[in-house]
């Protein structure tokens, strides 16, 4: 291992297990088994996640090597150990697990913070097979995002990407009680799951459950554990089966044509 790699390992190892592996002229950096970045030359490049985007907002964004299509944070705050701990813990929670299922290849995904700068990319998601009654459109997504920001609601909104392609969205945030919600949630904190949409070319591969699990884990870690509710159209049997499989229960409450599903904490 060269001198710079040893320095990276030494600075980061207090936060957890650091493994640096050579690959294609550079090195891959793993934290507790998850790939967090690259070493190219004598520079460390870290992946962009909500946590790294927040904590490294003033860092330089650069491609780690000439053929790369992924901008990454150039990290140089090696003496700031509290920053490193918070940074790596947050990135670990946000980066995907790599679990291969029998007969299926692992599909990596990335949860990128959904902002007003990138929300137009939601138009790239192919959802032509979903009836309009089952899911709201992109303009409504943008209005919901705006409402959350203006009212300072706790939670996370993600653009789901694979490589350079936008393949979905998911918003899980602080819920405001409505008369059609389960009465048991009145005057109690809860989360509302909305705009969980996955490109039709990426469904049926176990990816949706992993995305949902990662999002819930991130929200629970950052804001606390509370019940989660969402609406499922009465005719959307595939979505109902998906949420049953992921621990949600169908209630008798309805908002228009949508049944309220709940996952208790």
């Amino acid at each position: 291992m060269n001198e710079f790699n040893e320095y990276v390992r030494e600075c980061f190892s207090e936060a957890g297990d650091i493994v640096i592996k050579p690959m294609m002229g550079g090195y891959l950096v793993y934290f507790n088994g998850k790939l967090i970045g690259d070493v190219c030359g004598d520079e460390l490049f870290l992946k962009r996640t909500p946590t790294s985007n927040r904590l490294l907002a003033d860092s330089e964004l650069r491609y780690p090597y000439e053929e790369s299509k992924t901008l990454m944070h150039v990290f140089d705050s090696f003496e700031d150990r509290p920053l490193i701990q918070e940074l790596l813990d947050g990135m670990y929670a946000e980066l995907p697990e790599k679990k291969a299922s029998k007969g299926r290849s692992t599909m990596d995904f990335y949860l990128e913070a959904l902002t007003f700068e990138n929300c137009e990319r939601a138009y790239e998601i192919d959802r032509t097979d979903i009836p309009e009654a089952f899911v709201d459109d992109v303009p409504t997504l943008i209005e919901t995002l705006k409402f959350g920001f203006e009212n300072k609601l706790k939670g996370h909104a993600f653009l789901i990407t694979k490589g350079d392609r936008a393949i979905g969205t998911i918003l899980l945030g602080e819920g405001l009680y409505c008369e059609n919600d389960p009465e048991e949630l009145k005057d109690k904190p809860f989360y509302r799951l909305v705009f969980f949409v996955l490109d039709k070319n990426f469904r049926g591969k176990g990816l949706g459950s992993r995305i949902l699990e990662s999002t819930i884990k991130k929200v629970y870690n950052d804001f606390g554990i509370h019940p989660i509710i969402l609406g499922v159209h009465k005719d959307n049997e595939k979505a109902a089966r998906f949420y049953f499989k992921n621990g949600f229960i169908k209630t008798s409450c309805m908002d228009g044509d949508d049944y309220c599903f709940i996952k208790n904490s």
Side-chain angles (χ1 to χ4, degrees):
M1 183 177 293
N2 66 35
E3 186 175 342
F4 181 74
N5 288 359
E6 182 59 31
Y7 179 60
V8 171
R9 189 199 61 77
E10 178 183 341
C11 293
F12 279 23
S13 60
E14 291 182 13
D17 181 49
I18 296 295
V19 175
I20 301 177
K21 298 181 179 180
M23 185 175 181
M24 297 178 65
Y27 297 86
L28 302 179
V29 182
Y30 294 84
F31 173 68
N32 291 341
K34 290 186 177 182
L35 180 63
I36 61 168
D38 303 339
V39 171
C40 294
D42 286 338
E43 291 185 303
L44 174 62
F45 296 82
L46 294 179
K47 288 189 172 187
R48 298 169 67 190
T49 75
T51 294
S52 64
N53 287 342
R54 174 172 58 85
L55 296 178
L56 305 179
D58 296 329
S59 71
E60 181 183 0
L61 285 173
R62 192 156 21 102
Y63 297 104
Y65 51 91
E66 187 175 347
E67 297 83 7
S68 175
K69 297 181 180 179
T70 303
L71 282 170
M72 303 176 75
H73 292 285
V74 181
F75 184 82
D76 58 7
S77 301
F78 291 102
E79 301 306 315
D80 192 338
R81 301 307 165 88
L83 169 66
I84 290 173
Q85 186 74 61
E86 182 180 359
L87 175 65
L88 296 188
D89 285 345
M91 290 181 67
Y92 182 85
E94 294 156 356
L95 290 168
E97 299 283 354
K98 292 189 175 181
K99 298 179 180 178
S101 301
K102 291 183 179 180
R104 293 176 180 175
S105 60
T106 300
M107 296 189 64
D108 296 330
F109 63 88
Y110 175 57
L111 298 179
E112 177 182 340
L114 185 65
T115 67
F116 296 117
E117 286 71 34
N118 66 9
C119 60
E120 294 287 334
R121 295 196 63 197
Y123 284 106
E124 300 173 20
I125 302 163
D126 187 350
R127 55 182 202 173
T128 52
D129 61 329
I130 305 176
E132 292 183 3
F134 286 7
V135 63
D136 289 319
D137 57 16
V138 175
T140 306
L141 164 68
I142 296 172
E143 286 302 313
T144 302
L145 189 66
K146 182 179 179 182
F147 179 85
F149 274 106
E150 289 178 345
N151 290 275
K152 299 180 179 179
L153 299 181
K154 299 176 182 178
H156 288 298
F158 293 125
L159 179 71
I160 307 159
T161 60
K162 180 174 172 60
D164 293 329
R165 179 174 178 179
I167 65 169
T169 59
I170 185 169
L171 283 69
L172 180 60
E174 180 181 357
L176 302 179
Y177 184 80
C178 302
E179 61 179 10
N180 295 318
D181 292 333
E183 190 172 355
E184 65 195 78
L185 296 179
K186 192 173 184 179
D187 300 322
K188 294 182 180 180
F190 66 94
Y191 300 114
R192 195 181 301 275
L193 176 66
V194 294
F195 292 100
F196 185 17
V197 179
L198 196 60
D199 189 294
K200 71 177 186 180
N201 298 295
F202 295 88
R203 294 188 219 125
K205 300 177 173 64
L207 192 60
S209 293
R210 291 174 53 210
I211 291 168
L212 179 61
E213 180 184 5
S214 296
T215 302
I216 292 174
K217 181 178 180 180
K218 176 61 178 171
V219 170
Y220 280 0
N221 285 343
D222 290 349
F223 305 108
I225 300 174
H226 302 297
I228 301 170
I229 64 171
L230 69 138
V232 176
H233 193 278
K234 60 184 179 64
D235 296 326
N236 195 346
E237 297 179 358
K238 287 185 178 180
R241 288 195 298 270
F242 171 81
Y243 288 111
F244 286 143
K245 183 179 71 172
N246 284 280
F248 286 80
I249 299 171
K250 182 180 178 181
T251 74
S252 60
C253 300
M254 293 193 73
D255 181 7
D257 289 327
D258 290 352
Y259 277 105
C260 178
F261 280 56
I262 186 169
K263 183 181 180 73
N264 288 304
S265 52

